[in-house]
Amino acid sequence: MLDLKIVYFQGVTKFIASYVFMLVVIFNFNLMVIQFVDGPVSFWKSAWPMGMVAGFLLGFKMNEKRQVRSNIGFLLQLAILCFVGLLAVQGVISYIGSSNLVEMKAAKNLTVDFDAIWLVSQFGLILVGLWFGGWINEKLEGVQLLDLLPYEAKLLTLENQLLDPSVRGSLQQLELLLHEDFIEIGASGRTYDRAQVLDELPSEAADYPVRTIENVCFRKLSEELVQVFYSIAENETQRTSIWKLEGGQWSMIYHQGTRRAS
């Protein structure tokens, strides 16, 4: 789980970059098409699905790291911010099209105006794209296509999942993430086995606070065992986990949290 301001900024930046790139492609495509058709060609109508496509790409990538599809509130806020970014891009292009590019527009017969219905529909398309991208990512993860990623990225994703309240509240997901021989030593010094963790985590998930992973490093103990070291910013604890690879699946076999010395 990362700081939401950083997540929003990075998400909107990636969305705008993808959206502008696709608009450039559509613009050049239109310049070729209008040479063979009679009548005006609408730039925005031909770019109608681009908001959804950019949203899909962003949803897919962000869900890969943070499991954001289950957080509807997060998706709505991100969709609003992306929509504002889309409006800014449209405003700039429309201004240029109605002023500096008037001569080229007349010569090429390319219109750059858009109507209110088209504009309002973009927010819905962005939201659908974000959700659908996350959904597709989850399905791909289910068939282990994401195991093609480096093991460091995969394990960091799994560590973040265990800090997600929606995952901590799901007994089914916890059973997949925790090895049968799992042991945890908490910051208090208390030792927990797998049964105790599966019994306690779901009941505490609703009130679990935001936790931000930082200072991550990895140590490969063997082909099947990897140790992950990281710290939690909010409560100044140092944590380490050992993950075991069995049957193509990673599961945590050991975890320890220690309060940092003041």
Side-chain angles (χ1 to χ4, degrees):
M1 302 288 287
L2 301 176
D3 183 83
L4 285 181
K5 292 182 180 179
I6 297 176
V7 173
Y8 287 138
F9 176 78
Q10 293 177 342
V12 174
T13 300
K14 291 177 181 178
F15 174 85
I16 293 176
S18 299
Y19 187 67
V20 170
F21 174 78
M22 287 184 286
L23 290 184
V24 171
V25 173
I26 292 295
F27 180 80
N28 285 281
F29 176 76
N30 283 335
L31 290 182
M32 293 186 294
V33 168
I34 57 181
Q35 300 179 36
F36 306 100
V37 299
D38 296 326
V41 174
S42 174
F43 173 67
W44 289 119
K45 287 183 178 179
S46 59
W48 181 79
M50 295 302 101
M52 183 171 64
V53 175
F56 173 86
L57 295 174
L58 177 60
F60 185 93
K61 191 63 179 177
M62 296 191 76
N63 186 76
E64 178 181 305
K65 296 181 178 180
R66 305 181 184 92
Q67 295 292 316
V68 299
R69 176 177 171 261
S70 59
N71 190 335
I72 301 302
F74 176 86
L75 284 180
L76 286 171
Q77 294 178 60
L78 182 59
I80 291 172
L81 293 174
C82 289
F83 179 64
V84 172
L86 180 145
L87 289 181
V89 172
Q90 291 175 334
V92 171
I93 294 178
S94 295
Y95 173 77
I96 295 175
S98 61
S99 56
N100 298 336
L101 296 183
V102 169
E103 294 183 1
M104 187 185 78
K105 183 179 66 174
K108 296 294 186 179
N109 210 21
L110 179 64
T111 62
V112 293
D113 56 317
F114 54 90
D115 55 36
I117 296 177
W118 186 94
L119 191 62
V120 172
S121 69
Q122 291 304 299
F123 174 75
L125 291 173
I126 293 171
L127 183 59
V128 169
L130 287 170
W131 179 87
F132 190 58
W135 183 81
I136 289 294
N137 179 274
E138 289 181 356
K139 294 302 180 183
L140 292 179
E141 190 173 66
V143 296
Q144 301 181 20
L145 291 181
L146 293 183
D147 286 342
L148 297 175
L149 295 171
Y151 71 86
E152 295 92 345
K154 181 65 176 178
L155 294 182
L156 181 56
T157 297
L158 297 178
E159 290 281 1
N160 274 309
Q161 288 182 20
L162 284 170
L163 296 177
D164 187 334
S166 66
V167 175
R168 295 172 74 89
S170 171
L171 183 60
Q172 182 179 8
Q173 293 189 67
L174 289 175
E175 288 176 339
L176 293 175
L177 291 171
L178 301 181
H179 193 272
E180 292 182 357
D181 298 323
F182 175 79
I183 293 292
E184 175 179 352
I185 300 178
S188 64
R190 180 183 172 188
T191 300
Y192 304 83
D193 60 22
R194 185 174 186 265
Q196 290 173 304
V197 172
L198 292 178
D199 182 58
E200 293 184 15
L201 285 192
S203 62
E204 302 171 352
D207 299 322
Y208 192 73
V210 172
R211 290 288 180 256
T212 305
I213 288 179
E214 58 183 13
N215 304 321
V216 183
C217 60
F218 301 86
R219 181 170 65 158
K220 195 169 185 179
L221 304 177
S222 69
E223 290 301 317
E224 294 80 26
L225 292 173
V226 174
Q227 187 170 19
V228 184
F229 300 89
Y230 61 92
S231 54
I232 297 294
E234 287 78 10
N235 60 5
E236 297 186 343
T237 58
Q238 190 69 32
R239 301 192 183 188
T240 184
S241 306
I242 296 178
W243 292 84
K244 187 172 184 179
L245 181 64
E246 287 184 340
Q249 294 281 355
W250 288 99
S251 59
M252 184 184 290
I253 195 170
Y254 177 79
H255 182 75
Q256 181 173 351
T258 305
R259 291 189 179 91
R260 282 180 270 180
S262 57

